[in-house]
Amino acid sequence: TCSFSRSPKGFPKLKNDTFLRAARGEETEHTPVWCMRQAGRYLPEFRETRAAQDFFATCRSPKLCCELTLQPLRRFPLDAAIIFSDILVVPQALGMEVVMVPGKGPTFTEPLKEVEDLLKLRQKVDVTAELGYVFQAITLTRHSLEGRVPLIGFSGAPWTLMSYMIEGGGSSTMAKAKSWLYRHPEASHQLLRLLADVITDYLVGQVAAGAQALQLFESHAGHLGPEQFQDFALPYIRDIAQAVKSKLKEEALPLVPMIIFAKDAHYALRDLARAGYEVVGLDWTIRPQEARAQTGKDVTLQGNLDPCALYAPKEKIGELVKKMLEAFGTQRYIANLGHGLYPDMNPEHVGAFVEAVHAHSRHINKH
C-alpha cells in the first residue's frame, strides 16, 4: 500500500539508478527496461483498482495513482516507474471538460471549433492549483517506491494536445486539427505557445514534486508531414526542453534527463536528436541501425520493440529482444516497446520481455 511519510529528510536513497545512468550516457551493467503503459489494463489488479472509479477521478486521487504506478513493479523487475496519469489533464487545466466514454475513449464535451474558442481557455494557468493532484501523486509515489527505481513524470506535447482539443477525441486523420494549421496558422501558434508554457510549468512542478526523469509524448507526430512538423511541432518541443532546463536551474532543482517520444516521426530524427533531450524514444517502424546513424553518439535511444511482439510465444520474445539489443548495442540504450502495452496482453509475456532484456544485455556486456 502507498503510505505517505512527510519526512523532512526527503526521499529514500535510490538503489537502482541503471535507467538514469543510461539516460545520461553513462555505462551500465545491463540495459535498463521499462514499458510505456506499464501501469495498465493488461493487469487484472489494475482493472480491479480502477473498476469503482471514473477514469479522471482516478487520475485526481494521489493514493490510487500511487497504487497503479507500483502494481507493475510488484510483478516485474522494471528499471523505472512512470507516474499513472493522462496527457489530457493539461487541456483540463486550461478549462476544457474531458470525459472518458466507455468503448470510445477520452471525449471533449466542447472541442475547439472556431478561432474565437481560444478565448474560452484559461490564459494563465496556476499549475499547482489545477494539477497539484499530479504533484501529490508523484511525491507520494516517490516515497512509496522506497528508492527501488527512479520515477518518470510526463506530459503530452503541444501538437498532440492541440489535436485532441480540436478533434474532441481520437481520430484516424486528424483532419479538423490539421485544417487549423493550414487555415489558421497564427491562431494555431497562439494555442501551441499557450500549451508549451503550461507544459513547461507542469514539468518543472513534477520535478519539484520528486520526478527523476521526464518524458514528452508527441504521440500524433505521424499525422504531420516533415514541413508541418518543422513549423508546428519541433519549435515547441525544443522550447520546452530549453525552458524546463533553465527553470530547473533557476529554482535550484535537479536537472533531470528528458525523453522526447515523437511517434512515427522518423523524418525528424536528426532534429529531435538535437532538440535538447538526453533520450530520443523510437516507435517500431524504424531500424535500430538507421536510428543510431541519424541521431549520432550524443543521445541515448529508447525503444522500440513492436508491442504486438508480446503476443508471440515467450521463446520468440527472447529472440526478438536479443536481436534488438544486438542492433542498438547495450549502452546508451533503454529498452522499451515502440508504443504502449495493449489491454489484452498476457502479463507473463511482459515479464518475459523484461527478463530477456536483462539476461541478454548482461550476456552481451560480459562477452
Side-chain angles (χ1 to χ4, degrees), residues 192-231:
L192 292 162
R193 167 54 45 217
L194 174 63
L195 283 162
D197 291 344
V198 176
I199 290 162
T200 297
D201 290 343
Y202 180 43
L203 291 173
V204 171
Q206 291 186 46
V207 175
Q212 290 153 292
L214 297 169
Q215 178 155 315
L216 191 67
F217 284 87
E218 190 69 281
S219 312
H220 295 168
H223 290 278
L224 301 177
E227 281 179 25
Q228 282 189 313
F229 188 84
Q230 206 69 38
D231 289 348

Side-chain angles (χ1 to χ4, degrees), residues 323-338:
K323 216 166 118 185
M324 180 170 82
L325 285 161
E326 284 165 352
F328 278 110
T330 58
Q331 301 298 325
R332 260 211 179 276
Y333 175 53
I334 296 162
N336 205 318
L337 304 171

Side-chain angles (χ1 to χ4, degrees), residues 36-52:
M36 290 186 269
R37 300 228 171 111
Q38 65 190 25
R41 290 172 295 174
Y42 71 102
L43 291 175
E45 58 269 36
F46 175 95
R47 293 196 294 271
E48 212 172 292
T49 307
R50 277 269 307 105

Side-chain angles (χ1 to χ4, degrees), residues 81-127:
I82 183 164
I83 194 66
F84 176 81
S85 186
D86 194 89
I87 64 172
L88 298 181
V89 299
V90 170
Q92 287 176 335
L94 287 166
M96 293 187 82
E97 192 188 356
V98 192
V99 292
M100 195 58 86
V101 177
K104 189 180 168 203
T107 307
F108 285 73
T109 48
E110 290 179 48
L112 304 174
K113 290 197 171 76
E114 304 304 326
V115 169
E116 297 75 59
D117 294 340
L118 293 181
L119 298 171
K120 296 181 193 165
L121 299 175
R122 274 191 194 106
Q123 300 305 307
K124 269 270 163 261
V125 175
D126 174 347
V127 290

Side-chain angles (χ1 to χ4, degrees), residues 37-354:
R37 300 228 171 111
Q38 65 190 25
R41 290 172 295 174
Y42 71 102
L43 291 175
E45 58 269 36
F46 175 95
R47 293 196 294 271
E48 212 172 292
T49 307
R50 277 269 307 105
Q53 282 267 26
D54 163 69
F55 178 81
F56 286 108
T58 304
C59 289
R60 287 189 289 272
S61 159
K63 258 202 153 82
L64 287 176
C65 290
C66 173
E67 169 58 26
L68 294 169
T69 302
L70 293 185
Q71 283 176 352
L73 293 157
R74 296 190 189 118
R75 277 187 186 246
F76 316 116
L78 294 152
D79 293 288
I82 183 164
I83 194 66
F84 176 81
S85 186
D86 194 89
I87 64 172
L88 298 181
V89 299
V90 170
Q92 287 176 335
L94 287 166
M96 293 187 82
E97 192 188 356
V98 192
V99 292
M100 195 58 86
V101 177
K104 189 180 168 203
T107 307
F108 285 73
T109 48
E110 290 179 48
L112 304 174
K113 290 197 171 76
E114 304 304 326
V115 169
E116 297 75 59
D117 294 340
L118 293 181
L119 298 171
K120 296 181 193 165
L121 299 175
R122 274 191 194 106
Q123 300 305 307
K124 269 270 163 261
V125 175
D126 174 347
V127 290
T128 309
E130 300 300 329
L131 296 166
Y133 59 88
V134 179
F135 302 156
Q136 289 170 350
I138 287 173
T139 303
L140 175 55
T141 307
R142 176 85 188 267
H143 280 291
S144 303
L145 274 167
E146 295 174 333
R148 243 192 321 193
V149 294
L151 178 60
I152 304 169
F154 71 90
S155 174
W159 155 249
T160 295
L161 295 179
M162 169 182 172
S163 64
Y164 272 114
M165 290 159 76
I166 294 171
E167 296 291 340
S171 156
S172 57
T173 59
M174 298 290 160
K176 289 179 190 155
K178 285 178 73 175
S179 80
W180 271 55
L181 305 181
Y182 288 106
R183 287 165 43 226
H184 315 302
E186 286 81 19
S188 296
H189 280 298
Q190 195 188 326
L191 174 54
L192 292 162
R193 167 54 45 217
L194 174 63
L195 283 162
D197 291 344
V198 176
I199 290 162
T200 297
D201 290 343
Y202 180 43
L203 291 173
V204 171
Q206 291 186 46
V207 175
Q212 290 153 292
L214 297 169
Q215 178 155 315
L216 191 67
F217 284 87
E218 190 69 281
S219 312
H220 295 168
H223 290 278
L224 301 177
E227 281 179 25
Q228 282 189 313
F229 188 84
Q230 206 69 38
D231 289 348
F232 296 102
L234 189 64
Y236 299 99
I237 287 170
R238 280 197 191 115
D239 286 357
I240 288 167
Q242 212 179 342
V244 166
K245 286 176 181 189
S246 69
K247 285 198 172 182
L248 291 176
K249 277 195 185 119
E250 260 166 53
E251 298 182 28
L253 289 165
L255 277 175
V256 302
M258 294 177 72
I259 308 163
I260 176 65
F261 176 62
K263 190 172 179 293
D264 295 323
H266 353 106
Y267 53 77
L269 272 187
R270 268 170 219 280
D271 291 324
L272 289 167
R274 295 176 184 77
Y277 294 76
E278 286 69 27
V279 183
V280 175
L282 303 167
D283 60 71
W284 69 91
T285 62
I286 183 135
R287 292 191 175 86
Q289 296 88 334
E290 224 163 282
R292 278 279 182 218
Q294 288 192 45
T295 53
K297 301 255 186 300
D298 298 326
V299 295
T300 293
L301 295 179
Q302 173 177 284
N304 75 336
L305 191 71
D306 180 357
C308 292
L310 297 190
Y311 294 122
K314 289 189 209 167
E315 315 69 78
K316 179 71 176 160
I317 294 171
E319 287 163 35
L320 292 167
V321 165
K322 182 169 180 269
K323 216 166 118 185
M324 180 170 82
L325 285 161
E326 284 165 352
F328 278 110
T330 58
Q331 301 298 325
R332 260 211 179 276
Y333 175 53
I334 296 162
N336 205 318
L337 304 171
H339 199 222
L341 286 159
Y342 301 152
D344 62 349
M345 284 178 166
N346 181 342
E348 284 183 26
H349 288 224
V350 178
F353 167 65
V354 173

